[in-house]
Amino acid sequence: MTVLASAVGHTTTSEDSDLMPRWQDEVRRLAIRRHAVVLAHNYVPPEVQDVADHVGDSLALSRVAAASDAEVIVFCGVRFMAETAKILAPDKTVLLPEPEAGCSLADTIDADQLRAWKAEHPGAVVVAYVNTSAEVKAESDICCTSSNAADVVRSVPGDREILFLPDQFLGAHVRRVTGRDMHVWLGECHVHATISPADLRARVAADPDAAILVHPECGCTTAALYLASTGDLPADRTQVLSTGGMVEYAKTTTAPHVLVATETGILHQLRSLNSSTHFEAVNPSAVCRYMKMTTPTSLLRSLRDGTTEISVAPDVARRAATAVRRMIEIGSPSRGGE
Ligand code: 13P
Ligand code: SF4
């Protein structure tokens, strides 16, 4: 298995395989038989992360999907991620083990709403976070993830108007780090929006020496950076990072305590990579129900029965591919949102 974002690897040894429970053997056996690669986002349940070939953030997994020579991509994550894989690899079979695994943030804008917004700003460049439907991507000029959003915005010529969607907190963060004046859609993720400034203040008051990692989708991002600038949070120990950036941080940090503001699934990777540091959630109830839908049972069913195959209409896929390919060309896989 490789842990991306990007990647540290650990290879399963024959000794490990002797100890593996049966369902994991079965996943490996079926994956080989189907010529499948199993990709898992950093937020899915730990046991699914552990059996995957690659674990990572949205950008890193998109890159793996684009480069993979497997015939089948099993995406343990949510629908927009599987659609992105299909857009990048239209000739491959892409499976999403749980067809109901959606994304509240992606649901905040549809293609009709985007077309209406574009009509109000003719000539503007549309930068769409990858957490969007394939139809919205097809209406966009370039996609980004939390790993490369600032680099993507910097790539837009300075004299062009920008429509940034759909996440208001990521948009505010990118506006701050790039200094670009952008129009930002007022969408939010129901999980990250609830990680509030109050949560952050309470956790920091209880653990004043801890380092702080904040995902840019969080409702507390602006507050975290404001408090860092006023000295209420330690500026040298407060960072805004994508999940991939958090994984990179965990590999090298010597901080004894780290408070993590994002979906709690990331803690599994952070703790596995660094057992000397104590990683804790800023809000332990920040759990994405969509990310938790993929279980060992649904992964096995997906590999056995070929469910659920993701399709994207060819004209939508073709237009979305341009925006997605621009995204994967920009920004280092290991950097955070700035
Ligand atoms: P990453 O881009 O950091 O993988 O985050 C994706 C996501 O869905 C955040 O909620
Ligand atoms: Fe979407 Fe939020 Fe879940 Fe990420 S955590 S998949 S943005 S609902």
Side-chain angles (χ1 to χ4, degrees):
M1 185 243 301
T2 50
V3 181
L4 300 158
S6 272
V8 251
H10 26 154
T11 311
T12 309
T13 63
S14 55
E15 211 174 280
D16 291 334
S17 350
D18 291 344
L19 300 172
M20 269 187 184
R22 226 188 63 74
W23 75 267
Q24 290 167 310
D25 289 340
E26 183 67 355
V27 166
R28 300 312 332 152
R29 192 183 69 75
L30 289 167
I32 291 166
R33 204 176 78 193
R34 279 190 171 268
H35 303 285
V37 64
V38 179
L39 309 184
H41 189 268
N42 289 318
Y43 296 160
V44 300
E47 59 275 27
V48 176
Q49 295 187 28
D50 288 345
V51 81
D53 294 297
H54 303 277
V55 182
D57 67 4
S58 312
L59 181 59
L61 294 177
S62 298
R63 288 189 164 121
V64 173
S68 173
D69 56 11
E71 286 169 24
V72 176
I73 297 170
V74 184
F75 217 118
C76 303
V78 296
R79 178 168 288 267
F80 76 79
M81 296 178 176
E83 281 184 354
T84 305
K86 183 68 185 176
I87 289 164
L88 287 167
D91 299 332
K92 296 189 192 306
T93 300
V94 176
L95 303 178
L96 180 66
E98 285 292 342
E100 298 303 316
C103 170
S104 60
L105 176 57
D107 288 345
T108 64
I109 185 164
D110 63 23
D112 285 340
Q113 289 170 303
L114 176 52
R115 278 189 284 270
W117 201 27
K118 282 165 68 174
E120 290 167 21
H121 300 275
V125 175
V126 178
V127 178
Y129 194 35
V130 72
N131 297 42
T132 43
S133 67
E135 289 76 15
V136 166
K137 289 183 177 76
E139 290 292 331
S140 303
D141 296 297
I142 182 163
C143 290
C144 69
T145 71
S146 55
S147 300
N148 70 356
D151 287 334
V152 166
V153 165
R154 285 190 192 103
S155 77
V156 177
D159 58 349
R160 300 288 300 277
E161 208 178 0
I162 297 178
L163 303 183
F164 186 95
L165 63 98
D167 189 74
Q168 57 178 304
F169 299 112
L170 178 65
H173 174 63
V174 170
R175 203 189 255 148
R176 194 168 36 237
V177 298
T178 62
R180 278 301 280 273
D181 187 19
M182 315 183 293
H183 303 280
V184 176
W185 190 257
L186 292 180
E188 62 183 30
C189 151
H190 74 290
V191 180
H192 285 86
T194 59
I195 305 176
S196 67
D199 288 336
L200 189 61
R201 279 203 197 89
R203 293 298 293 115
V204 172
D207 201 350
D209 296 329
I212 300 149
L213 305 181
V214 181
H215 193 281
E217 279 177 30
C218 287
C220 62
T221 311
T222 303
L225 293 175
Y226 173 72
L227 293 173
S229 73
T230 57
D232 290 326
L233 289 183
D236 56 333
R237 285 183 275 123
T238 303
Q239 295 191 59
V240 178
L241 295 171
S242 69
T243 58
M246 292 180 186
V247 166
E248 287 296 303
Y249 171 94
K251 288 187 216 164
T252 55
T253 188
T254 53
H257 281 186
V258 179
L259 300 174
V260 183
T262 192
E263 209 276 348
T264 57
I266 188 69
L267 294 171
H268 178 61
Q269 285 304 323
L270 304 182
R271 290 171 180 161
S272 313
L273 285 164
N274 182 340
S275 54
S276 315
T277 295
H278 184 68
F279 294 96
E280 236 186 289
V282 167
N283 179 346
S285 47
V287 176
C288 174
R289 66 178 182 278
Y290 303 116
M291 285 287 186
K292 302 306 182 224
M293 284 179 174
T294 307
T295 60
T297 307
S298 60
L299 173 54
L300 273 172
R301 189 175 52 233
S302 177
L303 279 162
R304 265 195 212 116
D305 304 342
T307 51
T308 296
E309 190 169 346
I310 294 297
S311 61
V312 178
D315 65 312
V316 171
R318 187 181 38 76
R319 288 185 292 133
T322 308
V324 174
R325 287 199 185 282
R326 285 181 181 147
M327 166 187 89
I328 62 173
E329 281 158 16
I330 292 181
S332 143
S334 61
R335 287 173 63 193
E338 24 200 303

